[in-house]
Amino acid sequence: LCSGTEAQFENCPNYYPSCLDGPRCERWECMNSVPCTLEATGRQPAREVTGMCEAPLAWKPAAMASTETAQDPCLNSRGLRSRIWCQDDREWVLPAITMTLASILVGSTTIRANAAARRTAAKKQEQRKPAAEAAAPAPENGVDSRPTLLAAPAAEASPAKSPRSSKGGQDLRQQRFADKDAPKAAKVDDTVCAAVVVDATPTEAAEGPNHGHGDGGGPAGATSDPAGRGKAAGPRRPASGLEAIARPAARLWAKLPLMPISGNRFPLGLARFLGSLHVVVGHLYAKGGVVAPQFFFGWGFTWVPWFFMLSGFVLFSAHLKNPKQERMFEYVMRRSNTIYPLYAFSVLVAFAVQKGLGTMQASTIVLIAQSFLLQAWWPGWTETALQMHCWFLSCMVVYWFFFKPLAWCFKDLNLFRTCSLMCALFALPWLAIFVPFLIGETPDWYAGRGVRTDQAMQLGITTLKFHPVCYAHVFMLGMLLAKLRQHLDKRATGFGRDPRSWSNPWRWIVQVIAPMGYLGLLLVFNVPGFNPGAWGYKISARLSVLLPFQAMVLLGLAGLPSLPQSAFAFAFSKFDFLEKYSYCVYVFQFICYGFWPQAGRINLPLFLIFVATFAVVMAICVQQPIQRWWASHTWSRLAVPFIMACLLGGLSLLPDPSPVAPALSEIPAIVRTGNQSIDMRIEFGDPGAVPDAVIINPSMFVGNGEVVVTARRHRLETQRYVGTFNDSQVTIEDQVWHSEILLGSFDIDSGAWAAWPTTGVQPFALDLREWVGLRTVFNGEWVDLCVKETYVPENRTLIRHVVTGPEDPKAVSLNGSMTIAFDSNPPGAGDMSCRVNQAGMLDAVTQMYISAGVDVDDPAKESIAHRLAYGQTGAAEKNWIPFMHGSDLFFVYTPQPHVIVAAQPDGSAEKVYSTSFRPLQRLLQEHPGVEARGSAQAVYIDEPEATPNLPQPHYLALMHLFDEATDRYLHFAYRFDVEPPFAVLQLSSQLPLTEAEAVPGGVPFAFVGGLAVADRTVAITYGAGDRDARALVLTLEALDEMFACGNTTSA
């Protein structure tokens, strides 16, 4: 029977037991119950091959760098605490504490305020009494004829007038709030809804005040009773059909709550508070795994531009009503009272926490810059600053500085110019979509740009996200919205109908503006199929194409000054007290998260309660006192930013704390594995290193007295944002593997190299440089690689595995030209299309590539890489073992069966030989979940004295077994024949490599990248846990001992 070793056994389970021995098969096809088609090919090597060891393989456990890994979720990869405390079952503690404190503080503050108000009212009453008694006229005929401020009982009515005989009548329900013709002594605040000024003559007092609703067309003092509730002067006439319908409606309307005039008091407290909470949830959502991946959560960032618009609207509305003459700097300092004191306090708290935990990323220059609110001015500062989410304050200061000149430009704009300018500013964010479209880019042109190595593009995107220039149009839109409100108010009052009457259509329009704005936003935030695809892209939405909806919310809640509030705004006004706490919610959100005891998925309702009540405590105990100090010390406050800069800059130079406990196992620098072998860390220089990047999987090639080193720079990142998938809005999570190939070379010091296994001294010092000259066959840069997508319908999340560059290089010399083989996801640029699976999703798999003519000393020199045209394009191809036989280049495609592929520099490749090594074949057959894979390059060995277990020329190579059930890697050396068909001769015992986990609690592993032999010294280079570059260095004699036939073991 044939052996289907290359086939996927799980596809044909019924036939696998029959194919354990004999010549291997080229194909193994299986369709339902159709028997397998087996085509025998290749030849087995003669059993008398010299040196072949066919002793059975035994297993033993792999060496581990550490048998235990820290499980504390509070610890980061450096072994430092990422938060104050972590106890999953104590999430209720902080909300309980802050709720109690907030209740006590609010209660005591309210009691003190009410007591002070009563004392003030009593004092004013005492002051008014003598004056009122002195001015009181004598009563005539025993009746006091002074104007009287009477309560307005709903049961009383004035004498009825015919609606036709009246000019419409005044809506006295609105006259209560803004009757300008009433006597001054009888005027009431326009927010009070319970009194009307009338002349209390005996007859009128008996009849009572008028409560009817007119059509709004009459003079301010006219009265009418269209509801028919007044007492008629003459006999009651029969009601017409229209009146019969109108009277019940009027009675019903009379029972509705009265709405105060909008004026210039804006009920925005609840809107600000809800916006701040949505921002908090959005930031938690962006962290990944902290909150449920709900689509709505991902839109929290869109409220930050709304705060810019709100600021411009409120400030310009006040300026239009009461302009003040002050210099630009004076205006900024006066406005700074609302933001800087609390911001400075929060930065100090964040600095103390992060410095104490050792998690601070802000450099000294960034700390100094943010002391003066400059962090958003340079894109390299913004994302590393303390309280990074407060970048918008840096923008706000700029807008305030230019507010006076902008106000001078906008104050005299007519309605047409105001609307035209607003339309232009509304259209501005769409340039982020239309311009890329015109040059052939997709609307999400920047998607994936954050994972590129193009630093200029990185800075450009960061500038679009945070720079003050990019949001100036939003602040100006808020100012123009205030001017539009002024123009619309004039239209409403000049319409010909009383603006306070329901017969004025402007009053109906105002009712629906804010609800429609919120409805539009909620549809965008919650219904994936509602919004256009462009709105799902983060930068365009941020800049922001949602501005029209947000402007509707702002204008609808503010209303028109001469009109009564809308019902929506009136309801919101009941929560205006929340305005005092919204800024604290925003500022302290990450500090609260740092104190939260749960490191993974948090209880969101409890966390929001904690944030809100913590904001109340901070507002009362911190914000209000320091704002009073800031406002009263006009000169002293100028020194605060300088003191902050000196304090933060100086303290940042203090050393960071030591790890409290290892979150990841500590990888030892040196492990002595024998008298002639040592396992140790390799130190490489990396001038172009980026934060959190490490060098892993190094490979060495020895030739002509020189050692060529290739390695991989590696960094992980997770990005979350909202995007489009299958015409629906989804959460997109990019799991990004930043990868770059590094190159370098050094002249070998034979003495130091030979002594390496015994001295443990690294025989070279080398700086590696990034290989930037790598090009595709279309002469494009090796960027924009194809990705692999996985969609999770349960939570509408699209997971994208993104690799930014090539991986795991190996060097060989081909006809005197340095050639590098590597694996990579295919580039998607040029005419190269990305693989798509049957579900229509991107399904990139790694492929093997070869690039000849590489100049190691000049990594910028361009060299084209070609795909090796063998293997499967629908399955991952990697771990090929390159070796030279004479002047020909070959690859070991798989260790078992030992498939040999001949390759050319242009990528053409074909299989030429295939053999099986019986001990390894039997082991894989007995353990179907174990795979044999290649590692490093093969090296020609002809040292009979140093290799008594195989005293003949042979190739030395490396391979590993991968256990799918446990994700374990087990590494071995093996030897194969120097003549075709290059049959495997011997397999070593397991190599004693240091293993480490890549993440806390992960499976420890090592991955071999290179093999170098010189002066009878073997250097097996590898990466431990994707975080340490290492080498197992041993003499050729020590390695030969691991090949003793019958002593071969594996794990």
Side-chain angles (χ1 to χ4, degrees):
L1 293 175
C2 294
S3 169
T5 306
E6 280 189 357
Q8 296 180 351
F9 299 152
E10 60 271 18
N11 293 336
C12 300
N14 296 331
Y15 302 98
Y16 169 59
S18 302
C19 301
L20 294 180
D21 294 306
R24 58 173 299 281
C25 296
E26 176 74 7
R27 291 191 192 129
W28 186 2
E29 299 174 356
C30 181
M31 297 177 62
N32 299 326
S33 59
V34 178
C36 298
T37 300
L38 305 177
E39 298 178 4
T41 185
R43 67 178 179 83
Q44 285 284 18
R47 304 318 316 148
E48 65 273 8
V49 171
T50 304
M52 177 173 286
C53 176
E54 295 193 79
L57 301 180
W59 288 49
K60 73 175 183 180
M64 298 178 61
S66 174
T67 57
E68 297 183 0
T69 56
Q71 302 294 324
D72 189 347
C74 270
L75 302 180
N76 60 22
S77 60
R78 296 168 54 199
L80 298 170
R81 299 189 71 83
S82 59
R83 56 186 61 248
I84 303 300
W85 65 311
C86 286
Q87 292 188 13
D88 296 353
D89 57 344
R90 296 291 186 269
E91 286 188 284
W92 58 271
V93 173
L94 290 178
I97 293 174
T98 53
M99 284 183 66
T100 303
L101 290 175
S103 301
I104 294 173
L105 290 171
V106 171
S108 61
T109 302
T110 303
I111 292 172
R112 289 197 304 269
N114 290 340
R118 285 194 296 268
R119 289 194 298 269
T120 302
K123 187 174 181 180
K124 289 183 177 180
Q125 185 68 20
E126 292 296 329
Q127 293 174 350
R128 283 198 298 263
K129 271 186 178 181
E133 292 175 355
E140 299 178 6
N141 300 323
V143 178
D144 189 351
S145 60
R146 290 175 296 168
T148 306
L149 189 66
L150 298 177
E156 297 181 0
S158 60
K161 288 187 179 180
S162 169
R164 295 191 180 95
S165 64
S166 170
K167 294 182 180 180
Q170 170 64 44
D171 186 349
L172 292 183
R173 303 176 74 223
Q174 303 305 329
Q175 180 185 358
R176 301 175 186 182
F177 306 103
D179 190 348
K180 298 180 180 179
D181 298 328
K184 184 173 182 180
K187 281 192 176 181
V188 294
D189 192 298
D190 64 4
T191 62
V192 181
C193 306
V196 162
V197 176
V198 297
D199 287 331
T201 61
T203 304
E204 292 172 340
E207 293 177 350
N210 187 300
H211 266 227
H213 287 266
D215 62 3
T223 61
S224 65
D225 189 8
R229 293 182 296 140
K231 295 182 180 180
R236 183 183 298 273
R237 62 179 177 81
S240 66
L242 182 62
E243 290 173 333
I245 297 174
R247 286 173 183 172
R251 293 192 196 101
L252 178 63
W253 181 253
K255 298 179 180 179
L256 296 178
L258 304 176
M259 304 299 173
I261 299 300
S262 295
N264 284 299
R265 291 180 59 85
F266 309 130
L268 300 173
L270 180 59
R272 291 189 188 196
F273 191 81
L274 293 178
S276 295
L277 287 182
H278 197 183
V279 172
V280 172
V281 175
H283 284 151
L284 295 176
Y285 171 87
K287 286 181 173 293
V290 176
V291 296
Q294 296 297 325
F295 184 69
F296 173 79
F297 294 166
W299 291 91
F301 66 92
T302 57
W303 289 106
V304 177
W306 185 73
F307 292 139
F308 292 138
M309 182 191 293
L310 184 148
S311 178
F313 175 81
V314 172
L315 296 181
F316 196 48
S317 295
H319 180 82
L320 291 173
K321 181 181 180 182
N322 184 26
K324 293 183 179 180
Q325 298 298 324
E326 54 187 337
R327 296 183 180 89
M328 296 164 65
F329 181 75
E330 292 175 346
Y331 183 78
V332 171
M333 292 306 299
R334 181 166 63 85
R335 294 300 312 161
S336 68
N337 182 55
T338 61
I339 62 170
Y340 192 86
L342 190 66
Y343 162 78
F345 177 83
S346 71
V347 168
L348 293 175
V349 174
F351 178 87
V353 172
Q354 294 188 24
K355 189 65 177 178
L357 295 177
T359 59
M360 190 173 64
Q361 296 182 345
S363 64
T364 301
I365 186 63
V366 173
L367 294 173
I368 294 174
Q370 72 173 119
S371 298
F372 296 92
L373 285 175
L374 302 177
Q375 64 265 39
W377 292 22
W378 175 246
W381 297 343
T382 313
E383 294 183 302
T384 60
L386 289 172
Q387 294 287 85
M388 175 262 177
H389 60 289
C390 291
W391 63 269
F392 85 101
L393 301 178
S394 184
C395 301
M396 200 76 79
V397 172
V398 178
Y399 306 150
W400 289 346
F401 184 79
F402 290 103
F403 174 78
K404 290 295 183 178
L406 289 172
W408 182 85
C409 295
F410 294 162
K411 64 183 178 67
D412 295 324
L413 290 178
N414 58 29
L415 180 60
F416 175 77
R417 292 182 177 179
T418 300
C419 294
S420 299
L421 207 57
M422 290 185 68
C423 290
L425 294 179
F426 277 133
L428 192 61
W430 291 91
L431 293 177
I433 298 172
F434 292 142
V435 171
F437 174 78
L438 294 176
I439 62 176
E441 291 276 3
T442 58
D444 59 343
W445 56 271
Y446 52 87
R449 292 304 201 277
V451 301
R452 292 183 58 172
T453 57
D454 188 339
Q455 295 299 319
M457 180 64 73
Q458 288 274 30
L459 292 177
I461 293 174
T462 306
T463 299
L464 283 176
K465 290 169 62 178
F466 302 115
H467 200 276
V469 172
C470 298
Y471 296 92
H473 70 288
V474 184
F475 183 82
M476 289 189 286
L477 265 173
M479 297 179 65
L480 292 171
L481 190 65
K483 187 64 181 178
L484 176 66
R485 178 175 180 260
Q486 187 184 60
H487 284 301
L488 295 182
D489 188 63
K490 292 179 181 179
R491 293 295 181 98
T493 55
F495 186 75
R497 300 291 181 107
D498 193 312
R500 295 167 293 184
S501 171
W502 286 100
S503 61
N504 191 322
W506 284 96
R507 187 167 182 189
W508 291 100
I509 293 173
V510 169
Q511 297 293 321
V512 300
I513 295 177
M516 292 299 293
Y518 269 118
L519 178 62
L521 291 174
L522 288 174
L523 288 174
V524 171
F525 295 167
N526 291 281
V527 182
F530 170 77
N531 50 306
W535 291 359
Y537 304 125
K538 193 166 185 176
I539 287 183
S540 54
R542 188 182 187 111
L543 285 178
S544 149
V545 296
L546 299 181
L547 287 176
F549 290 137
Q550 294 174 331
M552 291 173 66
V553 169
L554 190 54
L555 181 61
L557 291 177
L560 300 182
S562 301
L563 269 64
Q565 284 183 340
S566 67
F568 201 74
F570 181 74
F572 267 52
S573 68
K574 302 303 180 183
F575 301 92
D576 271 349
F577 65 92
L578 293 175
E579 184 172 7
K580 297 182 293 185
Y581 313 122
S582 60
Y583 181 51
C584 286
V585 166
Y586 188 94
V587 169
F588 288 102
Q589 55 180 294
F590 282 118
I591 293 176
C592 289
Y593 180 69
F595 282 100
W596 194 250
Q598 171 70 1
R601 179 70 62 86
I602 67 173
N603 186 314
L604 185 60
L606 281 180
F607 181 77
L608 293 181
I609 291 173
F610 170 56
V611 172
T613 52
F614 185 84
V616 172
V617 175
M618 289 295 102
I620 297 175
C621 297
V622 177
Q623 183 181 15
Q624 295 172 10
I626 61 177
Q627 282 185 344
R628 286 194 294 268
W629 181 92
W630 187 270
S632 60
H633 294 76
T634 55
W635 290 104
S636 300
R637 65 189 180 188
L638 296 177
V640 173
F642 294 93
I643 297 173
M644 283 273 296
C646 294
L647 184 64
L648 295 178
L651 294 178
S652 67
L653 301 178
L654 295 176
D656 288 334
S658 301
V660 296
L664 290 170
S665 62
E666 182 180 353
I667 303 176
I670 297 178
V671 177
R672 175 61 66 179
T673 56
N675 293 332
Q676 295 180 323
S677 63
I678 190 171
D679 183 90
M680 60 181 293
R681 178 176 297 125
I682 305 178
E683 301 290 348
F684 292 110
D686 184 7
V690 296
D692 299 325
V694 294
I695 295 176
I696 61 172
N697 304 351
S699 177
M700 293 184 181
F701 169 80
V702 180
N704 300 324
E706 183 183 50
V707 177
V708 173
V709 178
T710 61
R712 171 183 164 198
R713 183 195 290 148
H714 170 72
R715 178 167 63 94
L716 294 178
E717 182 182 7
T718 299
Q719 301 174 346
R720 292 173 67 92
Y721 53 93
V722 175
T724 302
F725 174 71
N726 287 343
D727 298 325
S728 299
Q729 297 300 310
V730 299
T731 298
I732 299 179
E733 179 178 302
D734 284 347
Q735 298 176 350
V736 186
W737 288 45
H738 294 270
S739 182
E740 299 91 25
I741 289 179
L742 306 179
L743 305 177
S745 66
F746 63 91
D747 294 331
I748 191 169
D749 182 339
S750 298
W753 184 276
W756 193 359
T758 55
T759 63
V761 177
Q762 180 176 313
F764 60 88
L766 180 63
D767 285 342
L768 300 178
R769 292 186 292 170
E770 183 179 347
W771 184 19
V772 295
L774 179 61
R775 293 294 183 269
T776 69
V777 293
F778 302 102
N779 205 33
E781 295 183 15
W782 204 270
V783 294
D784 296 329
L785 307 187
C786 298
V787 303
K788 181 178 180 62
E789 297 178 333
T790 303
Y791 183 62
V792 183
E794 291 78 10
N795 53 21
R796 294 192 313 211
T797 300
L798 180 67
I799 300 175
R800 303 171 72 242
H801 179 64
V802 181
V803 183
T804 64
E807 304 176 88
D808 302 335
K810 303 173 182 68
V812 295
S813 179
L814 178 61
N815 298 325
S817 173
M818 187 55 59
T819 301
I820 295 179
F822 60 90
D823 62 81
S824 173
N825 281 1
D831 297 331
M832 303 175 71
S833 59
C834 293
R835 181 175 182 269
V836 178
N837 61 20
Q838 295 180 350
M841 303 176 65
L842 294 174
D843 191 22
V845 292
T846 57
Q847 297 289 289
M848 287 295 300
Y849 295 86
I850 185 172
S851 179
V854 178
D855 190 342
V856 177
D857 296 325
D858 184 12
K861 181 180 178 181
E862 295 184 3
S863 54
I864 294 176
H866 300 268
R867 176 186 171 271
L868 287 167
Y870 182 77
Q872 305 177 62
T873 58
E877 296 289 354
K878 58 191 307 184
N879 304 320
W880 295 14
I881 304 174
F883 69 96
M884 297 296 300
H885 180 67
S887 61
D888 298 324
L889 174 64
F890 294 90
F891 285 89
V892 177
Y893 179 66
T894 57
Q896 175 55 39
H898 203 240
V899 177
I900 306 299
V901 174
Q904 301 297 325
D906 62 359
S908 59
E910 62 174 341
K911 184 173 72 173
V912 290
Y913 306 107
S914 178
T915 59
S916 289
F917 183 55
R918 288 189 179 276
L920 185 57
Q921 181 186 32
R922 291 193 183 100
L923 185 146
L924 297 179
Q925 291 168 350
E926 292 168 2
H927 303 277
V930 176
E931 299 178 12
R933 302 174 178 177
S935 301
Q937 62 269 63
V939 178
Y940 179 80
I941 302 294
D942 187 10
E943 296 281 355
E945 296 180 358
T947 59
N949 284 308
L950 189 61
Q952 66 186 44
H954 61 270
Y955 283 104
L956 176 65
L958 303 173
M959 59 159 287
H960 64 271
L961 300 179
F962 177 72
D963 188 349
E964 294 180 345
T966 61
D967 290 336
R968 295 297 304 275
Y969 288 83
L970 313 166
H971 296 271
F972 307 88
Y974 77 96
R975 292 163 168 170
F976 63 91
D977 201 356
V978 294
E979 296 298 331
F982 305 110
V984 176
L985 303 177
Q986 296 177 346
L987 185 67
S988 75
S989 59
Q990 182 182 333
L991 297 175
L993 304 181
T994 297
E995 295 184 332
E997 71 283 4
V999 296
V1003 177
F1005 69 94
F1007 187 85
V1008 173
L1011 173 65
V1013 181
D1015 297 308
R1016 294 189 176 183
T1017 298
V1018 181
I1020 300 172
T1021 54
Y1022 67 99
D1026 282 347
R1027 54 192 178 98
D1028 199 20
R1030 304 185 65 84
L1032 173 63
V1033 186
L1034 67 168
T1035 63
L1036 197 55
E1037 294 85 350
L1039 181 61
D1040 181 73
E1041 294 176 2
M1042 302 177 70
F1043 282 98
C1045 191
N1047 189 38
T1048 306
T1049 56
S1050 63

